Amino acid sequence: MQRRRAVSPEKRYEQLIAQFAEMDGVTIPGDAPGREGKFGAAALKVGGKIFAMLAQGRLVVKLPRARVDELVDAGQGERFDPGHGRLMREWLSLDPDSELGWDGLAREALHFVDPVHRAAPGRLPSLTRPQADPAAVRSDERSS
């Protein structure tokens, strides 16, 4: 039996960017000319603030400290270290083996970082694929 190849973190992040690209107020990588190579240049931002990024092949999201503590305690990731040895209390670096959905964590981070999105979650489009309307399926079956 052939084993399925896992999707690379880079590809998963590209998919995440595509999901957030049409949201009001969200800046995707490449939307800020002159920032190439600088910290946060490849991050998802809202109101100029980073809410999700890919660092060292791991999804990194900004969440409330208590939520980060909960996820770390559950073995889903670790506090993010941006490279200077100081762990960030409100940043989670998701474990590559975690089965938590990237889109759900990124949405949670967006709600945390941006008060407008937090106050009006109805503005956010669904990040999951739309399900077929059972009534429409039944009516299609009747017409065949």
Side-chain angles (χ1 to χ4, degrees), residues 20-78:
F20 280 86
E22 300 300 318
M23 286 188 180
D24 290 340
V26 172
T27 305
I28 62 170
D31 277 1
R35 296 273 314 152
E36 300 86 6
K38 295 184 179 168
F39 180 79
L44 286 164
K45 299 177 187 174
V46 64
K49 296 177 182 178
I50 298 170
F51 67 91
M53 63 184 167
L54 189 67
Q56 298 144 4
R58 297 173 73 146
L59 178 66
V60 177
V61 291
K62 184 169 177 76
L63 298 169
R65 182 179 180 178
R67 178 70 168 135
V68 172
D69 291 346
E70 174 187 327
L71 292 169
V72 168
D73 291 346
Q76 297 298 322
E78 56 194 37

Side-chain angles (χ1 to χ4, degrees), residues 12-13 16-17 19-20 39 42-46 49-72 76-82 87-95 98 100-114 127:
R12 286 184 77 185
Y13 189 63
L16 190 67
I17 290 168
Q19 289 175 325
F20 280 86
F39 180 79
L44 286 164
K45 299 177 187 174
V46 64
K49 296 177 182 178
I50 298 170
F51 67 91
M53 63 184 167
L54 189 67
Q56 298 144 4
R58 297 173 73 146
L59 178 66
V60 177
V61 291
K62 184 169 177 76
L63 298 169
R65 182 179 180 178
R67 178 70 168 135
V68 172
D69 291 346
E70 174 187 327
L71 292 169
V72 168
Q76 297 298 322
E78 56 194 37
R79 286 168 191 80
F80 176 61
D81 178 356
L87 298 178
M88 308 303 284
R89 292 177 283 188
E90 291 187 329
W91 288 91
L92 176 77
S93 177
L94 189 65
D95 189 294
S98 173
L100 293 176
W102 284 27
D103 57 346
L105 283 173
R107 181 188 293 233
E108 194 176 335
L110 175 63
H111 285 247
F112 174 62
V113 169
D114 185 43
L127 295 180

